[in-house]
Amino acid sequence: MMRELTVDLGDRSYPIYIGAGILNDIGALFQKHGIGKGSPLLVVTDEQVAAHYLDQVTGRLGEAGYTAASHVVPAGEKSKSLAMLEQIVATALEAGLDRKSTIIALGGGVVGDLAGFAAASYMRGVRFVQIPTTILAHDSSVGGKVAVNHPLAKNIIGAFHQPEMVLYDTATLLTLPDREVRAGLSEMIKHGLIWDAEFTDWCEANAERLVGLDPEALQYGLYKGCSVKAAVVSQDERENDLRAILNLGHTIGHALEAVGGYNELLHGEAIAIGMVGAAKLSVRLGNPEHIYTVTKRIFQKFGLPVSIPAHLDTDEIMRAMMHDKKFNEGKIVYIVPTEIGQVEINKNVSAEWVRDIVDQLKRED
Amino acid sequence: MMRELTVDLGDRSYPIYIGAGILNDIGALFQKHGIGKGSPLLVVTDEQVAAHYLDQVTGRLGEAGYTAASHVVPAGEKSKSLAMLEQIVATALEAGLDRKSTIIALGGGVVGDLAGFAAASYMRGVRFVQIPTTILAHDSSVGGKVAVNHPLAKNIIGAFHQPEMVLYDTATLLTLPDREVRAGLSEMIKHGLIWDAEFTDWCEANAERLVGLDPEALQYGLYKGCSVKAAVVSQDERENDLRAILNLGHTIGHALEAVGGYNELLHGEAIAIGMVGAAKLSVRLGNPEHIYTVTKRIFQKFGLPVSIPAHLDTDEIMRAMMHDKKFNEGKIVYIVPTEIGQVEINKNVSAEWVRDIVDQLKRED
């Protein structure tokens, strides 16, 4: 069974295919979408994913008559660099990629961002296919935001470059470690919290099946999560306004990741704490108490953290936040839930309030 | 006096301003085009241009209430690198550039391409203003093609990123060395040869005034040259078909630049020889003889080379060409004049014919 949905962006619209084992159909899907066989392809992946799936992908493409070169980078955030981009371009040149070629990102968010920026900039832009292999990447693989890091800032050199398609084989998720599964589901829950109360209820009711990687639950959850992302991106491709709501939980979340040195908390864990913080802020702003209790209860059901590790320093967290986000006269733009399944972009949240929330989150149980 | 024309690209349309001394009006022009004062600007330039014009630009912007940081790179092609991009981004971050900031390219083609790619990729794209300070850059500053080089290939990492405006102060051209002036005019003549017979006649009749940097002739010539470029780009922004005609003379030209080690022939000189070669090829294909005689006569009037230096090896030239362009079964896509002011995209030119032309160009007098 394969689910399909469309990211509606006019002449840049593209499909997302979700199903178990669909990597085996990659040749047929490429042909269906007019990816020609006259120009070589390049698969970019990391060492861990390559060990499991690279042969399958290049093998199936070869059987379908495609020529596919590959470039394997070390796993981890450090690969999102200009130096790695330069190496990928060298491989692309040696493999003879031309303007009609397609670059394929096979992996999680790091590979997607890196290969995506390579596709955006090689010969001023070639086609690009996302094959996410993590749950977290159901978020990052949709929407066309691609980038590499700079020594001074994350994701600061990049582009908006929409893929030709997203090919999401849920069979690749079965090899993920449990902690990564839970952290990945955090973004799925976020998509419910910002957009769809019914889906939020469904997530809570199906926490156990999702964490246990039940195929049917996983496919439905990813389908719904991608649908929310697609709907938001369709209305605001270049993040002028609405797209900001996807950052629910990210203000505190990013700061916690940074202060934890990017190895204490996974992204999904950090934003889970951040979403509990946003819910607390919501109640402080006069919204109903259940926004906080329900939000916290859901993340607890998924075994995700809902409090800030006590040894992380509040001053440091606030400094990291000020470095990451723009404060104007002590105010910050904050994504605040106004109901389960609804958020607002609040431009009037003071740094003091956020600091209070951070302090409370350190005492949360 | 200031001339103005528009590059018509729907919601990415932008004006080109051409006039002597208009750099002094930069503050007013920025305000007119809605460039806000709340976010810092960054001027990217090279050491040579900085010595002449950087203080003027930042000074005038400061008087108008803008905050402008600057980043100065060494002059020359080597600055078009990812390493330099990383340095520019560091300066941008330190200066606090945000998504509403504008990056300004003050210089020739190298600075325009480098700063343009920085603007295309910083925070996934910020605004960009071109201030060309060479005659050659009347070509490269219009049309939005920006890029850096890779050790294995020129211009291979880049984007299509249209500027907000092009501000062309012809007073900055008066300090150019004579050889660069002549070479720069080569692209202006090209714009006549591909599009406008009348303008070609005008160029020939005004060769002496142009080479002598007569202000009125220069402004008119640049205005007409930019107009042709703008018309072509408007019809084919992303070089799917028509835009290829801008490559008249470039097949042989690029090969000559490469074989000469990028220091024997200037770009404008190499493409002058290439355009004479294209005219010879045209006659061989059955077009009237005068296409060749007129083309050659014009370049001679501008003191530009019309023959290949005898010591450059034909085999090496052909190898460089095969590396640069795509030959399919011994055929190459070639821009061929069919009349003065008209060209065709000929997909049926054989490598053998091109080799003959190269041999003839080595014996040309």
Side-chain angles (χ1 to χ4, degrees), chain A residues 272-299:
Chain A
I273 302 167
M275 285 187 266
V276 174
K280 282 176 103 68
L281 184 62
S282 168
V283 175
R284 168 155 189 175
L285 288 165
N287 293 305
E289 178 79 17
H290 73 262
I291 294 176
Y292 162 66
T293 51
V294 170
T295 300
K296 182 172 173 181
R297 189 179 71 212
I298 295 177
F299 287 114

PDB file of all heavy atoms in Angstrom, chain A residues 272-299:
ATOM      1  N   ALA A 272      10.296  19.245  22.164  1.00  0.00           N
ATOM      2  CA  ALA A 272       9.211  18.768  23.035  1.00  0.00           C
ATOM      3  C   ALA A 272       9.167  19.632  24.292  1.00  0.00           C
ATOM      4  O   ALA A 272       8.104  20.130  24.685  1.00  0.00           O
ATOM      5  CB  ALA A 272       9.425  17.298  23.396  1.00  0.00           C
ATOM      6  N   ILE A 273      10.321  19.838  24.896  1.00  0.00           N
ATOM      7  CA  ILE A 273      10.397  20.726  26.069  1.00  0.00           C
ATOM      8  C   ILE A 273       9.926  22.129  25.683  1.00  0.00           C
ATOM      9  O   ILE A 273       9.160  22.770  26.403  1.00  0.00           O
ATOM     10  CB  ILE A 273      11.842  20.786  26.620  1.00  0.00           C
ATOM     11  CG1 ILE A 273      12.325  19.380  26.999  1.00  0.00           C
ATOM     12  CG2 ILE A 273      11.930  21.749  27.813  1.00  0.00           C
ATOM     13  CD1 ILE A 273      13.827  19.282  27.265  1.00  0.00           C
ATOM     14  N   GLY A 274      10.376  22.581  24.515  1.00  0.00           N
ATOM     15  CA  GLY A 274       9.990  23.912  24.030  1.00  0.00           C
ATOM     16  C   GLY A 274       8.486  24.042  23.849  1.00  0.00           C
ATOM     17  O   GLY A 274       7.897  25.092  24.139  1.00  0.00           O
ATOM     18  N   MET A 275       7.838  22.972  23.381  1.00  0.00           N
ATOM     19  CA  MET A 275       6.381  23.043  23.175  1.00  0.00           C
ATOM     20  C   MET A 275       5.636  23.064  24.497  1.00  0.00           C
ATOM     21  O   MET A 275       4.606  23.736  24.622  1.00  0.00           O
ATOM     22  CB  MET A 275       5.932  21.878  22.279  1.00  0.00           C
ATOM     23  CG  MET A 275       6.309  22.115  20.808  1.00  0.00           C
ATOM     24  SD  MET A 275       5.637  20.878  19.651  1.00  0.00           S
ATOM     25  CE  MET A 275       7.003  19.728  19.550  1.00  0.00           C
ATOM     26  N   VAL A 276       6.171  22.355  25.480  1.00  0.00           N
ATOM     27  CA  VAL A 276       5.563  22.447  26.821  1.00  0.00           C
ATOM     28  C   VAL A 276       5.719  23.882  27.330  1.00  0.00           C
ATOM     29  O   VAL A 276       4.776  24.466  27.902  1.00  0.00           O
ATOM     30  CB  VAL A 276       6.209  21.427  27.788  1.00  0.00           C
ATOM     31  CG1 VAL A 276       5.676  21.624  29.206  1.00  0.00           C
ATOM     32  CG2 VAL A 276       5.942  19.995  27.309  1.00  0.00           C
ATOM     33  N   GLY A 277       6.884  24.473  27.083  1.00  0.00           N
ATOM     34  CA  GLY A 277       7.113  25.866  27.474  1.00  0.00           C
ATOM     35  C   GLY A 277       6.140  26.813  26.778  1.00  0.00           C
ATOM     36  O   GLY A 277       5.572  27.718  27.403  1.00  0.00           O
ATOM     37  N   ALA A 278       5.930  26.599  25.478  1.00  0.00           N
ATOM     38  CA  ALA A 278       5.003  27.458  24.721  1.00  0.00           C
ATOM     39  C   ALA A 278       3.585  27.324  25.273  1.00  0.00           C
ATOM     40  O   ALA A 278       2.825  28.302  25.319  1.00  0.00           O
ATOM     41  CB  ALA A 278       5.050  27.098  23.236  1.00  0.00           C
ATOM     42  N   ALA A 279       3.228  26.103  25.695  1.00  0.00           N
ATOM     43  CA  ALA A 279       1.895  25.879  26.268  1.00  0.00           C
ATOM     44  C   ALA A 279       1.755  26.611  27.607  1.00  0.00           C
ATOM     45  O   ALA A 279       0.715  27.206  27.911  1.00  0.00           O
ATOM     46  CB  ALA A 279       1.641  24.384  26.442  1.00  0.00           C
ATOM     47  N   LYS A 280       2.814  26.593  28.410  1.00  0.00           N
ATOM     48  CA  LYS A 280       2.807  27.338  29.680  1.00  0.00           C
ATOM     49  C   LYS A 280       2.633  28.839  29.428  1.00  0.00           C
ATOM     50  O   LYS A 280       1.862  29.514  30.098  1.00  0.00           O
ATOM     51  CB  LYS A 280       4.141  27.123  30.416  1.00  0.00           C
ATOM     52  CG  LYS A 280       4.263  25.801  31.128  1.00  0.00           C
ATOM     53  CD  LYS A 280       5.646  25.639  31.741  1.00  0.00           C
ATOM     54  CE  LYS A 280       5.668  25.868  33.238  1.00  0.00           C
ATOM     55  NZ  LYS A 280       4.969  24.851  34.024  1.00  0.00           N
ATOM     56  N   LEU A 281       3.370  29.314  28.429  1.00  0.00           N
ATOM     57  CA  LEU A 281       3.281  30.731  28.069  1.00  0.00           C
ATOM     58  C   LEU A 281       1.858  31.068  27.628  1.00  0.00           C
ATOM     59  O   LEU A 281       1.321  32.136  27.954  1.00  0.00           O
ATOM     60  CB  LEU A 281       4.292  31.015  26.948  1.00  0.00           C
ATOM     61  CG  LEU A 281       4.444  32.456  26.488  1.00  0.00           C
ATOM     62  CD1 LEU A 281       4.945  33.345  27.618  1.00  0.00           C
ATOM     63  CD2 LEU A 281       5.410  32.534  25.304  1.00  0.00           C
ATOM     64  N   SER A 282       1.267  30.148  26.879  1.00  0.00           N
ATOM     65  CA  SER A 282      -0.098  30.341  26.389  1.00  0.00           C
ATOM     66  C   SER A 282      -1.064  30.567  27.553  1.00  0.00           C
ATOM     67  O   SER A 282      -1.878  31.502  27.527  1.00  0.00           O
ATOM     68  CB  SER A 282      -0.512  29.106  25.576  1.00  0.00           C
ATOM     69  OG  SER A 282      -1.895  29.125  25.309  1.00  0.00           O
ATOM     70  N   VAL A 283      -0.940  29.700  28.565  1.00  0.00           N
ATOM     71  CA  VAL A 283      -1.831  29.821  29.721  1.00  0.00           C
ATOM     72  C   VAL A 283      -1.589  31.158  30.425  1.00  0.00           C
ATOM     73  O   VAL A 283      -2.517  31.868  30.809  1.00  0.00           O
ATOM     74  CB  VAL A 283      -1.622  28.627  30.682  1.00  0.00           C
ATOM     75  CG1 VAL A 283      -2.449  28.810  31.953  1.00  0.00           C
ATOM     76  CG2 VAL A 283      -1.985  27.322  29.968  1.00  0.00           C
ATOM     77  N   ARG A 284      -0.320  31.527  30.553  1.00  0.00           N
ATOM     78  CA  ARG A 284       0.016  32.819  31.179  1.00  0.00           C
ATOM     79  C   ARG A 284      -0.627  33.992  30.426  1.00  0.00           C
ATOM     80  O   ARG A 284      -0.997  35.007  31.011  1.00  0.00           O
ATOM     81  CB  ARG A 284       1.539  32.965  31.195  1.00  0.00           C
ATOM     82  CG  ARG A 284       1.968  34.367  31.547  1.00  0.00           C
ATOM     83  CD  ARG A 284       3.326  34.447  32.145  1.00  0.00           C
ATOM     84  NE  ARG A 284       3.555  35.784  32.637  1.00  0.00           N
ATOM     85  CZ  ARG A 284       4.598  36.159  33.300  1.00  0.00           C
ATOM     86  NH1 ARG A 284       5.535  35.279  33.591  1.00  0.00           N
ATOM     87  NH2 ARG A 284       4.734  37.405  33.712  1.00  0.00           N
ATOM     88  N   LEU A 285      -0.763  33.823  29.096  1.00  0.00           N
ATOM     89  CA  LEU A 285      -1.373  34.875  28.278  1.00  0.00           C
ATOM     90  C   LEU A 285      -2.895  34.852  28.355  1.00  0.00           C
ATOM     91  O   LEU A 285      -3.568  35.634  27.683  1.00  0.00           O
ATOM     92  CB  LEU A 285      -0.929  34.729  26.812  1.00  0.00           C
ATOM     93  CG  LEU A 285       0.529  35.114  26.512  1.00  0.00           C
ATOM     94  CD1 LEU A 285       0.958  34.586  25.135  1.00  0.00           C
ATOM     95  CD2 LEU A 285       0.712  36.628  26.572  1.00  0.00           C
ATOM     96  N   GLY A 286      -3.442  33.913  29.159  1.00  0.00           N
ATOM     97  CA  GLY A 286      -4.893  33.920  29.360  1.00  0.00           C
ATOM     98  C   GLY A 286      -5.636  32.820  28.636  1.00  0.00           C
ATOM     99  O   GLY A 286      -6.871  32.738  28.702  1.00  0.00           O
ATOM    100  N   ASN A 287      -4.928  31.944  27.911  1.00  0.00           N
ATOM    101  CA  ASN A 287      -5.593  30.832  27.225  1.00  0.00           C
ATOM    102  C   ASN A 287      -5.900  29.712  28.226  1.00  0.00           C
ATOM    103  O   ASN A 287      -5.313  29.663  29.305  1.00  0.00           O
ATOM    104  CB  ASN A 287      -4.708  30.313  26.084  1.00  0.00           C
ATOM    105  CG  ASN A 287      -4.569  31.347  24.976  1.00  0.00           C
ATOM    106  OD1 ASN A 287      -5.563  31.833  24.438  1.00  0.00           O
ATOM    107  ND2 ASN A 287      -3.325  31.706  24.662  1.00  0.00           N
ATOM    108  N   PRO A 288      -6.822  28.797  27.844  1.00  0.00           N
ATOM    109  CA  PRO A 288      -7.265  27.763  28.794  1.00  0.00           C
ATOM    110  C   PRO A 288      -6.152  26.838  29.282  1.00  0.00           C
ATOM    111  O   PRO A 288      -5.258  26.469  28.503  1.00  0.00           O
ATOM    112  CB  PRO A 288      -8.313  26.959  28.013  1.00  0.00           C
ATOM    113  CG  PRO A 288      -8.479  27.598  26.688  1.00  0.00           C
ATOM    114  CD  PRO A 288      -7.569  28.760  26.572  1.00  0.00           C
ATOM    115  N   GLU A 289      -6.232  26.469  30.519  1.00  0.00           N
ATOM    116  CA  GLU A 289      -5.251  25.633  31.208  1.00  0.00           C
ATOM    117  C   GLU A 289      -4.999  24.299  30.504  1.00  0.00           C
ATOM    118  O   GLU A 289      -3.890  23.768  30.525  1.00  0.00           O
ATOM    119  CB  GLU A 289      -5.769  25.389  32.644  1.00  0.00           C
ATOM    120  CG  GLU A 289      -4.908  24.495  33.516  1.00  0.00           C
ATOM    121  CD  GLU A 289      -3.699  25.217  34.108  1.00  0.00           C
ATOM    122  OE1 GLU A 289      -3.693  26.466  34.123  1.00  0.00           O
ATOM    123  OE2 GLU A 289      -2.749  24.509  34.528  1.00  0.00           O
ATOM    124  N   HIS A 290      -6.063  23.729  29.843  1.00  0.00           N
ATOM    125  CA  HIS A 290      -5.900  22.389  29.265  1.00  0.00           C
ATOM    126  C   HIS A 290      -4.868  22.378  28.126  1.00  0.00           C
ATOM    127  O   HIS A 290      -4.353  21.325  27.779  1.00  0.00           O
ATOM    128  CB  HIS A 290      -7.248  21.819  28.789  1.00  0.00           C
ATOM    129  CG  HIS A 290      -7.767  22.460  27.545  1.00  0.00           C
ATOM    130  ND1 HIS A 290      -8.714  23.460  27.551  1.00  0.00           N
ATOM    131  CD2 HIS A 290      -7.459  22.251  26.245  1.00  0.00           C
ATOM    132  CE1 HIS A 290      -8.971  23.821  26.310  1.00  0.00           C
ATOM    133  NE2 HIS A 290      -8.226  23.112  25.494  1.00  0.00           N
ATOM    134  N   ILE A 291      -4.579  23.528  27.532  1.00  0.00           N
ATOM    135  CA  ILE A 291      -3.545  23.555  26.475  1.00  0.00           C
ATOM    136  C   ILE A 291      -2.232  23.033  27.052  1.00  0.00           C
ATOM    137  O   ILE A 291      -1.541  22.221  26.429  1.00  0.00           O
ATOM    138  CB  ILE A 291      -3.367  24.997  25.929  1.00  0.00           C
ATOM    139  CG1 ILE A 291      -4.655  25.440  25.217  1.00  0.00           C
ATOM    140  CG2 ILE A 291      -2.167  25.075  24.985  1.00  0.00           C
ATOM    141  CD1 ILE A 291      -4.632  26.875  24.732  1.00  0.00           C
ATOM    142  N   TYR A 292      -1.919  23.484  28.256  1.00  0.00           N
ATOM    143  CA  TYR A 292      -0.696  23.033  28.923  1.00  0.00           C
ATOM    144  C   TYR A 292      -0.786  21.577  29.358  1.00  0.00           C
ATOM    145  O   TYR A 292       0.107  20.768  29.063  1.00  0.00           O
ATOM    146  CB  TYR A 292      -0.404  23.949  30.113  1.00  0.00           C
ATOM    147  CG  TYR A 292       0.555  23.359  31.118  1.00  0.00           C
ATOM    148  CD1 TYR A 292       1.890  23.117  30.774  1.00  0.00           C
ATOM    149  CD2 TYR A 292       0.125  23.042  32.402  1.00  0.00           C
ATOM    150  CE1 TYR A 292       2.758  22.557  31.701  1.00  0.00           C
ATOM    151  CE2 TYR A 292       0.990  22.502  33.329  1.00  0.00           C
ATOM    152  CZ  TYR A 292       2.297  22.253  32.977  1.00  0.00           C
ATOM    153  OH  TYR A 292       3.164  21.705  33.874  1.00  0.00           O
ATOM    154  N   THR A 293      -1.880  21.194  30.014  1.00  0.00           N
ATOM    155  CA  THR A 293      -1.961  19.829  30.559  1.00  0.00           C
ATOM    156  C   THR A 293      -1.972  18.781  29.450  1.00  0.00           C
ATOM    157  O   THR A 293      -1.277  17.766  29.540  1.00  0.00           O
ATOM    158  CB  THR A 293      -3.206  19.658  31.470  1.00  0.00           C
ATOM    159  OG1 THR A 293      -4.359  20.126  30.770  1.00  0.00           O
ATOM    160  CG2 THR A 293      -3.057  20.434  32.752  1.00  0.00           C
ATOM    161  N   VAL A 294      -2.729  19.051  28.378  1.00  0.00           N
ATOM    162  CA  VAL A 294      -2.790  18.088  27.266  1.00  0.00           C
ATOM    163  C   VAL A 294      -1.429  17.975  26.570  1.00  0.00           C
ATOM    164  O   VAL A 294      -0.931  16.878  26.293  1.00  0.00           O
ATOM    165  CB  VAL A 294      -3.894  18.484  26.255  1.00  0.00           C
ATOM    166  CG1 VAL A 294      -3.794  17.638  24.986  1.00  0.00           C
ATOM    167  CG2 VAL A 294      -5.276  18.348  26.878  1.00  0.00           C
ATOM    168  N   THR A 295      -0.800  19.127  26.294  1.00  0.00           N
ATOM    169  CA  THR A 295       0.501  19.127  25.600  1.00  0.00           C
ATOM    170  C   THR A 295       1.511  18.305  26.390  1.00  0.00           C
ATOM    171  O   THR A 295       2.184  17.423  25.849  1.00  0.00           O
ATOM    172  CB  THR A 295       1.015  20.575  25.442  1.00  0.00           C
ATOM    173  OG1 THR A 295       0.063  21.324  24.675  1.00  0.00           O
ATOM    174  CG2 THR A 295       2.355  20.605  24.714  1.00  0.00           C
ATOM    175  N   LYS A 296       1.575  18.578  27.689  1.00  0.00           N
ATOM    176  CA  LYS A 296       2.546  17.869  28.520  1.00  0.00           C
ATOM    177  C   LYS A 296       2.250  16.372  28.574  1.00  0.00           C
ATOM    178  O   LYS A 296       3.168  15.537  28.444  1.00  0.00           O
ATOM    179  CB  LYS A 296       2.513  18.468  29.927  1.00  0.00           C
ATOM    180  CG  LYS A 296       3.510  17.833  30.875  1.00  0.00           C
ATOM    181  CD  LYS A 296       3.562  18.591  32.189  1.00  0.00           C
ATOM    182  CE  LYS A 296       4.427  17.863  33.195  1.00  0.00           C
ATOM    183  NZ  LYS A 296       4.462  18.586  34.475  1.00  0.00           N
ATOM    184  N   ARG A 297       0.973  16.044  28.699  1.00  0.00           N
ATOM    185  CA  ARG A 297       0.570  14.642  28.812  1.00  0.00           C
ATOM    186  C   ARG A 297       0.968  13.849  27.558  1.00  0.00           C
ATOM    187  O   ARG A 297       1.461  12.730  27.627  1.00  0.00           O
ATOM    188  CB  ARG A 297      -0.945  14.587  29.021  1.00  0.00           C
ATOM    189  CG  ARG A 297      -1.499  13.232  29.370  1.00  0.00           C
ATOM    190  CD  ARG A 297      -3.000  13.327  29.584  1.00  0.00           C
ATOM    191  NE  ARG A 297      -3.706  13.557  28.329  1.00  0.00           N
ATOM    192  CZ  ARG A 297      -4.844  14.262  28.210  1.00  0.00           C
ATOM    193  NH1 ARG A 297      -5.412  14.841  29.254  1.00  0.00           N
ATOM    194  NH2 ARG A 297      -5.416  14.408  27.032  1.00  0.00           N
ATOM    195  N   ILE A 298       0.770  14.473  26.402  1.00  0.00           N
ATOM    196  CA  ILE A 298       1.107  13.772  25.146  1.00  0.00           C
ATOM    197  C   ILE A 298       2.597  13.458  25.087  1.00  0.00           C
ATOM    198  O   ILE A 298       3.000  12.319  24.819  1.00  0.00           O
ATOM    199  CB  ILE A 298       0.710  14.613  23.913  1.00  0.00           C
ATOM    200  CG1 ILE A 298      -0.805  14.774  23.862  1.00  0.00           C
ATOM    201  CG2 ILE A 298       1.229  13.961  22.631  1.00  0.00           C
ATOM    202  CD1 ILE A 298      -1.289  15.638  22.719  1.00  0.00           C
ATOM    203  N   PHE A 299       3.425  14.454  25.351  1.00  0.00           N
ATOM    204  CA  PHE A 299       4.866  14.199  25.238  1.00  0.00           C
ATOM    205  C   PHE A 299       5.313  13.154  26.258  1.00  0.00           C
ATOM    206  O   PHE A 299       6.198  12.341  25.976  1.00  0.00           O
ATOM    207  CB  PHE A 299       5.668  15.502  25.363  1.00  0.00           C
ATOM    208  CG  PHE A 299       5.535  16.354  24.135  1.00  0.00           C
ATOM    209  CD1 PHE A 299       4.890  17.579  24.171  1.00  0.00           C
ATOM    210  CD2 PHE A 299       6.030  15.908  22.909  1.00  0.00           C
ATOM    211  CE1 PHE A 299       4.742  18.349  23.033  1.00  0.00           C
ATOM    212  CE2 PHE A 299       5.891  16.674  21.763  1.00  0.00           C
ATOM    213  CZ  PHE A 299       5.237  17.897  21.824  1.00  0.00           C
TER     214      PHE A 299
END
